[in-house]
Amino acid sequence: MPTLVATTALDHPPQTVFEWHTRPGAFQRLTPPGFGRVESEASAGLAVGSRATLRVAVPGMRLPGLPPASVRWVARHDSFDPPRSFSDVMESGPMASWRHHRTFEPRPSGAEPAGGTELVERVSYELPAPGRLPGIGSLAGHVMADQLGRFFAYRGRTLRDDLAFHAAHAGRGLVVAVAGSSGLVGRQLVALLGGGGHDVRRLTRGRPGGAGTGEIRWDPARGELDPAALADVDVVVNLAGEPVAGRFTDDHLRRVRESRVVGTGLLARALATLAADGRPRALINASASGYYGPDRGDQVLTEESGPGRGVLADIVRDWEAATEPAQAAGVRVALVRTGIVQSPAGGQLGLQLPIFTAGLGGPLGDGQAWMPWITIDDLVGIYAHLIVGDASGPVNAAAPTPVTGAEYARTLASVVHRPGVLRVPALAPAVLLGRRGADEFALAGQRMSAARATELGYSFRHPELRTGLEHVLARTTDGPTEVEEH
């Protein structure tokens, strides 16, 4: 039976590292977004018998525009010795067998820095029988070992960076309410905050799960939100909104506008109502690079740059203006003008990755438009930085090194080891999105500056595109983890 041993050197004591693993969100944060989707965290922490579930993507079984084929993996914890070790086994799933054991030990004498942790993860596994799982059952052992090496390197980098972030922002735990917590960004933000020991409440349109679930009911379309439900909340994060991608019909654009402006206004008014009690509160509201319009050429766009023209710029301007009741009442309001989020779990990269992996990728149009990209980890990092900080006003959420569409295509193709020379004519997105959608969304470009985020003290995990893509796609073994196969 093959055994993989992954050893990660961390700068924090074993107790700190172990406790991070016990908090809600650890499973989410440690799962590469291209590997699968977490269905449920461990049902009873890390206690023996606790179960967690994951939908594992099947390699090679994804078509452009469709979700990847997946199988269900149920992990059951079978040992728990705090703060030294715990383990789980695959109760059901794609492998013939799988057991994952972790130990947390002080770093050896003389290792730097003193007081750190050596996290040793030992995985014993058997590959599935041929034919049981297309794309995996036929993998040779050395290929499987390589994939697992990248998987554990991703985990090591994420764990190192999350622990460093929490150590840099240590302090009292905050109560944070999140609207849009089930989306691409929301899932990762909730998990990151949970790892820092913050109390996260989810705003839900459905019936709340009851006491202890941390759920708050709201219905923006009906204007329903009891301000009292936010009385003990320190920070509200609003990520809710209809996806912009879609054919730019009048009806689609109306839904995009209303889902953002109406929901934001409802939250802003609720916080304004509570302001009289004198408790400091904040609203961290999503915004978008579309504020600057579809094409400002080579102009470097800072938060002081005025709004652009076009339907999306108008929507984003009204979206930001909907926070005014909270600002007028003295609530701290920050606006996160988000660039193009890089995650294989969704968004632009999720759509393009199957095309590039098939060797059919290339730049859109002439490839000269600027692309304000940002990895999913840096986006949630900026949100978390604003949550625990005291900044207000707009903040560009884009990496310090914007690239053109042509540069992006070359880099992505290189990372997945495929050609990227098949230029996509401008007509193609117009067929799918309509002319307005093509011009204002698919072919849009903004050369956004990251200077303010840096000035506020945020340190980017992935300032360069290549290393950012290699991380989110788990395509590199760089980081604090050493992997051996036995």
Side-chain angles (χ1 to χ4, degrees), residues 164-172 198 384-385 388-389 457:
F165 180 87
H166 296 314
H169 298 87
R172 73 181 182 93
H198 300 289
H385 189 79
V388 301

Side-chain angles (χ1 to χ4, degrees), residues 23 86 120 136 156-157 202 211 219 225 234 272 280 285 313 322 334 342 351 377 392 412 439 458 481:
R23 295 182 182 130
F86 71 92
V120 180
I136 287 184
R157 290 190 300 271
R202 302 169 188 262
D219 189 335
L225 173 62
D234 298 300
N285 209 77
Q342 300 301 297
L351 290 172
D377 292 295
S392 60
L412 176 56
D439 291 343
Y458 182 72
T481 303

Side-chain angles (χ1 to χ4, degrees), residues 27-244:
F27 189 28
Q28 177 75 67
R29 292 296 295 155
L30 293 178
T31 301
F35 177 79
R37 174 167 176 159
V38 174
E39 287 191 332
S40 66
E41 292 273 345
S43 55
L46 302 181
V48 172
S50 180
R51 289 173 171 80
T53 59
L54 178 74
R55 296 296 305 189
V56 182
V58 180
M61 298 290 287
R62 181 175 184 178
L63 297 175
L66 296 177
S70 63
V71 294
R72 195 165 186 254
W73 182 314
V74 179
R76 175 175 53 82
H77 290 276
D78 68 341
S79 74
F80 183 51
D81 180 21
R84 188 174 184 276
S85 68
F86 71 92
S87 64
D88 61 74
V89 296
M90 188 194 74
E91 189 171 77
S92 63
M95 305 293 285
S97 69
W98 175 281
R99 187 171 192 272
H100 184 183
H101 184 73
R102 310 147 181 88
T103 59
F104 303 77
E105 299 287 351
R107 296 195 67 188
S109 177
E112 294 293 338
T117 297
E118 190 169 87
L119 168 59
V120 180
E121 303 185 71
R122 184 179 297 271
V123 175
S124 301
Y125 64 93
E126 291 182 89
L127 293 171
R132 180 180 174 191
L133 190 62
I136 287 184
S138 60
L139 285 175
H142 71 278
V143 175
M144 185 66 174
D146 177 67
Q147 295 297 317
L148 288 176
R150 297 177 184 181
F151 174 88
F152 280 96
Y154 172 94
R155 291 167 63 95
R157 290 190 300 271
T158 301
L159 177 58
R160 174 199 62 195
D161 293 345
D162 279 14
L163 288 170
F165 180 87
H166 296 314
H169 298 87
R172 73 181 182 93
L174 298 173
V175 180
V176 183
V178 181
S181 62
S182 63
L184 175 70
V185 179
R187 291 194 304 271
Q188 293 296 334
L189 178 60
V190 167
L192 178 62
L193 293 172
H198 300 289
D199 179 359
V200 181
R201 317 280 176 86
R202 302 169 188 262
L203 276 79
T204 176
R205 290 176 173 84
R207 179 176 296 179
T213 63
E215 293 181 341
I216 299 170
R217 186 181 182 281
W218 78 320
D219 189 335
R222 295 176 178 270
E224 296 176 356
L225 173 62
D226 183 2
L230 302 176
D232 66 340
V233 169
D234 298 300
V235 182
V236 174
V237 180
N238 181 24
L239 304 169
E242 177 86 6
V244 175

Side-chain angles (χ1 to χ4, degrees), residues 400-415:
T401 54
V403 297
T404 64
E407 291 175 291
Y408 179 86
R410 285 195 298 271
T411 304
L412 176 56
S414 174
V415 169

